[in-house]
Amino acid sequence: RKEEELDSKDAIILHQFSRPTNGVPSLSPFCLKMETYLRMADLPYQNYFDGKLSPQGKMPWIEYNHKKVSGTEFIIDFLEEKLGVNLNKHLGPHERAVSRAVTKMVEEHFYWTLAYCQWVENLHETQKMVSLFGPFSDLLKWILCHLTKGIVKREMYGHGIGRFSEEEMYTLMEKDMRTLAGLLGDKKYIMGPTVSTVDATVFGHLAQAMWTLPGTRPERLIKGELINLAMYCERIRRKFWPEWHHEDDNTLYESEESSEASKTYSPLQDFSFYSRTETFDEEGNSISQTPDTDYTGHSLFDSDVDMDECRDQEQGK
């Protein structure tokens, strides 16, 4: 019945996993990447949390004018062709090459070490975040998480990275994170002052370390020594996810003004139709919104984040 009601004519339908219970949009780096990209490109979309994988067995995937596309790279190529969007038009040939190299490092290498941390070492905490309801939800979550653990370990072994020891895998993870921190430096975004497609990829993965892996080595690294990556995540979250508020937010990354603004954020909506330039309140009334302000009128400009001040606070700990 749901499939009969779904109509993707001139509308982007984004199929992805259900929202977790901890306020983060997704436990999947690729789902978070895709939804963040749609917001960065300012493309209205409809979330669809049916749990159904694409014909290729992928998640996320989209439907547009009854065309099904899976794989985030192919989805972005498809949307660029059909809708004329391009977040990379300001990049030169060398910058585009660097952007693709960084994307592949993150998605084909860094991803697997995150998956290990999330679904093997930190499985107990991840299980608490999985969204399932009903009389047998605890049992179903336990089964789902342990099945996922087995799949991740098997696929990591096939990839090759899973054949190393845990300590060796974390060494590889740390090298990737330090590479990203060095590439970012004190810039606003990975490729400079303007957001590009690679930022959706990097954010989708770093957000897992930032908000879904409490007490783990990647969380300690991103919130400690590699604080510029934490600032980067907060910068993107405030600008493109104004309604995403995490109850464990660290005020180290916020100014007084943005900290007050964060208290008014509304919860993430499951089945809402989202457009970054126009949203609706709970009664369905249209609210004018610019890309750099939330619905309360508070500024979401990157200048709200003072990186030098945060570094001084971190060193003073």
Side-chain angles (χ1 to χ4, degrees):
R1 187 159 58 245
K2 284 184 178 180
E3 290 179 354
E4 291 174 354
E5 295 172 356
L6 186 62
D7 184 6
S8 64
K9 186 178 186 305
D10 297 327
I12 300 171
I13 308 298
L14 176 61
H15 295 260
Q16 61 169 314
F17 297 115
S18 298
R19 301 286 195 210
T21 60
N22 67 332
V24 176
S26 181
L27 295 177
S28 164
F30 292 97
C31 288
L32 183 52
K33 167 194 173 179
M34 195 66 250
E35 192 167 2
T36 301
Y37 170 84
L38 291 172
R39 290 173 175 232
M40 287 178 171
D42 201 11
L43 294 176
Y45 63 93
Q46 172 76 49
N47 273 318
Y48 209 65
F49 300 95
D50 54 357
K52 182 180 178 181
L53 300 178
S54 72
Q56 294 82 13
K58 293 284 190 178
M59 189 74 90
W61 56 287
I62 70 162
E63 292 181 80
Y64 181 77
N65 282 339
H66 308 292
K67 170 75 173 178
K68 299 179 181 179
V69 187
S70 68
T72 55
E73 185 173 355
F74 292 116
I75 293 172
I76 291 172
D77 289 344
F78 173 82
L79 293 175
E80 287 182 352
E81 178 184 353
K82 295 294 182 181
L83 302 177
V85 296
N86 188 350
L87 294 181
N88 300 329
K89 60 185 178 182
H90 61 287
L91 302 180
H94 175 74
E95 293 172 314
R96 289 172 186 261
V98 171
S99 177
R100 178 166 177 78
V102 172
T103 296
K104 292 303 113 179
M105 179 195 76
V106 170
E107 294 185 344
E108 306 297 339
H109 194 264
F110 182 47
Y111 163 76
W112 289 108
T113 55
L114 279 176
Y116 176 83
C117 189
Q118 192 172 48
W119 295 103
V120 179
E121 186 200 18
N122 208 43
L123 183 65
H124 180 69
E125 291 296 325
T126 301
Q127 184 176 324
K128 297 176 183 178
M129 304 176 195
V130 173
S131 178
L132 283 177
F133 303 97
F136 303 105
S137 59
D138 289 340
L139 175 61
L140 290 174
K141 283 198 286 188
W142 187 92
I143 294 173
L144 174 64
C145 289
H146 281 78
L147 284 174
T148 304
K149 174 182 177 180
I151 293 171
V152 167
K153 292 181 70 175
R154 184 175 70 247
E155 292 187 350
M156 288 183 69
Y157 190 85
H159 175 280
I161 198 170
R163 304 182 188 218
F164 297 111
S165 68
E166 180 177 295
E167 186 60 33
E168 288 172 326
M169 283 191 285
Y170 278 120
T171 298
L172 296 175
M173 169 186 277
E174 183 171 334
K175 286 183 177 181
D176 287 342
M177 293 181 70
R178 290 186 183 279
T179 297
L180 291 172
L183 181 62
L184 176 64
D186 59 359
K187 301 192 300 293
K188 293 172 76 172
Y189 302 110
I190 294 296
M191 301 308 298
T194 306
V195 72
S196 58
T197 302
V198 69
D199 291 298
T201 302
V202 174
F203 175 74
H205 288 73
L206 287 180
Q208 307 304 318
M210 184 80 174
W211 290 293
T212 73
L213 298 172
T216 62
R217 290 170 67 172
E219 186 203 47
R220 292 195 298 271
L221 193 60
I222 195 173
K223 292 183 177 180
E225 187 177 349
L226 305 182
I227 196 172
N228 68 327
L229 295 182
M231 301 293 296
Y232 170 79
C233 287
E234 284 287 355
R235 185 177 303 123
I236 291 180
R237 186 185 73 156
R238 289 199 204 119
K239 186 164 186 177
F240 299 104
W241 290 90
E243 78 278 29
W244 170 6
H245 172 60
H246 195 267
E247 59 184 18
D248 295 327
D249 283 344
N250 191 330
T251 55
L252 173 65
Y253 314 118
E254 301 185 73
S255 66
E256 182 177 349
E257 176 186 353
S258 60
S259 178
E260 288 298 319
S262 68
K263 298 176 183 179
T264 63
Y265 291 166
S266 60
L268 294 170
Q269 298 297 312
D270 280 350
F271 291 93
S272 61
F273 183 77
Y274 182 86
S275 173
R276 190 160 61 89
T277 53
E278 184 167 318
T279 57
F280 298 87
D281 62 17
E282 295 179 355
E283 288 75 31
N285 300 315
S286 177
I287 300 175
S288 178
Q289 176 181 321
T290 67
D292 291 294
T293 58
D294 64 15
Y295 69 90
T296 66
H298 287 93
S299 171
L300 296 173
F301 278 115
D302 300 299
S303 58
D304 289 344
V305 184
D306 190 336
M307 295 183 67
D308 293 332
E309 178 183 349
C310 288
R311 287 199 188 96
D312 293 340
Q313 291 181 40
E314 179 66 20
Q315 293 172 358
K317 281 187 173 182

